[in-house]
Amino acid sequence: MVLENLHLLHFKNYEEATLPFSTHINCFIGDNGSGKTNLLDAIHYLSLTKSAFTGTDLQNIKDGEDYFIVRGRFVSNEKVSAVQCYLKAGQKKIITLNKTPYERVSEHVGQFPVVLISPYDTDLIREGSEDRRKFFDSLMAQLDHSYLDLLIQYNYVLKQRNSLLKQFAEKNYIDKEYLQILDEQLMPLGTELSIRRASFLETFEPVFQRHYQHLSGSSELVTLGYQSQLIRQNYAYLLDQSQRKDLLLQRTTVGPHKDDFVFLMAEKSVKNYGSQGQQKSYVIALKLAQFEVLAQKNDNKPLLLLDDIFDRLDEKRITHLMQLVANNTFGQIFLTDTHLDRTDKILQPLSNNIRRFRISEGKAETIEDEEL
């Protein structure tokens, strides 16, 4: 799969930009804060209909404007797909494929897979369980649309239940029959979510372990664990036992929205016992495993986005990633860097198909060969 071009209008710090891409390696070169990462995020948005870095869609609209457009053309197995994402403040987001809008935005997810490796990836280890759930949920959603539908349904009923719990507190009245109706809707959805997460991890873990060993050159055992309240108790029992607590706290305190994925090395927490280097190897191995399973499922290599890796990774890990580039493990690559000479020194031996863009204050210009 290849992204032929990208067009932006009022997206983040870009007034307007059009970029034609190489089918192999594309480099965004510029100072920090110039807008390099925003281009990667635009590609991420085009693929997954959401930003990798901002919490709400409105944060992606350029200051002083009330809408943004991200547009691009994908080519896969000679099939051309024109995708556009449009958002206007106060209105519903519209995603179109070949000028036809989706009835549901979620229908787009998984059609154009993408993997992002960024300096913030170690947050998967250092931050709370929500970040880890988002990583695995996003991966599973790209692999299997029925999982995404299940997750959407669960979150919808969960939101209804939490809203009802707040109403009970405000009105000082409890309608247990209505609460039971929502519980009966939530139970099968939550149970299925936990079952499918546990099943997926069994197949994903060996792929992850192999990448970690190759990346680190170490025989140390790394594992992925899954913690769910539903493993030992059925959801009906848990909801019944937690009802009093839920009413008091005005939110649902049990269920797969509380699950966690545990990152271990030699049966110890990577967060507490892993060195910085081990933590970096761990998350890169997670991303490389993500890339592999997406490529296998779709029989098509995802887009690979590399954000400031030459600044943030040591020579050993950069060398490993570049070896994978040289071996054609990856397909189309987009990367950011602050130094053109460093980028060229690393990449030129690997490919003759490289396009470079100079990024400055929300503007992108192609760097011609004679400028190098």
Side-chain angles (χ1 to χ4, degrees), residues 140 147 150 187-203 226-235 255-256 259 261:
M140 293 176 68
Y147 180 83
L150 178 66
M187 286 184 291
L189 297 171
T191 301
E192 180 66 15
L193 269 180
S194 289
I195 291 172
R196 293 178 70 165
R197 283 173 177 171
S199 176
F200 172 75
L201 209 59
E202 289 182 4
T203 61
Y226 176 54
Q227 290 182 342
S228 174
Q229 300 160 309
L230 276 64
I231 291 176
R232 296 181 180 178
Q233 298 285 354
N234 68 61
Y235 205 3
D259 290 354
F261 294 85

Side-chain angles (χ1 to χ4, degrees), residues 142-194:
Q142 289 192 76
L143 288 167
D144 183 353
H145 207 274
S146 68
Y147 180 83
L148 178 58
D149 288 340
L150 178 66
L151 185 65
I152 291 172
Q153 291 177 56
Y154 176 82
N155 286 332
Y156 176 75
V157 179
L158 178 66
K159 184 178 180 180
Q160 284 187 307
R161 190 178 193 272
N162 287 339
S163 177
L164 185 65
L165 291 170
K166 290 177 182 178
Q167 289 179 33
F168 289 164
E170 292 168 359
K171 298 178 180 179
N172 196 27
Y173 168 77
I174 299 173
D175 185 344
K176 289 197 173 184
E177 288 187 8
Y178 188 17
L179 186 61
Q180 181 63 31
I181 291 172
L182 291 180
D183 286 357
E184 289 174 358
Q185 294 178 24
L186 201 63
M187 286 184 291
L189 297 171
T191 301
E192 180 66 15
L193 269 180
S194 289

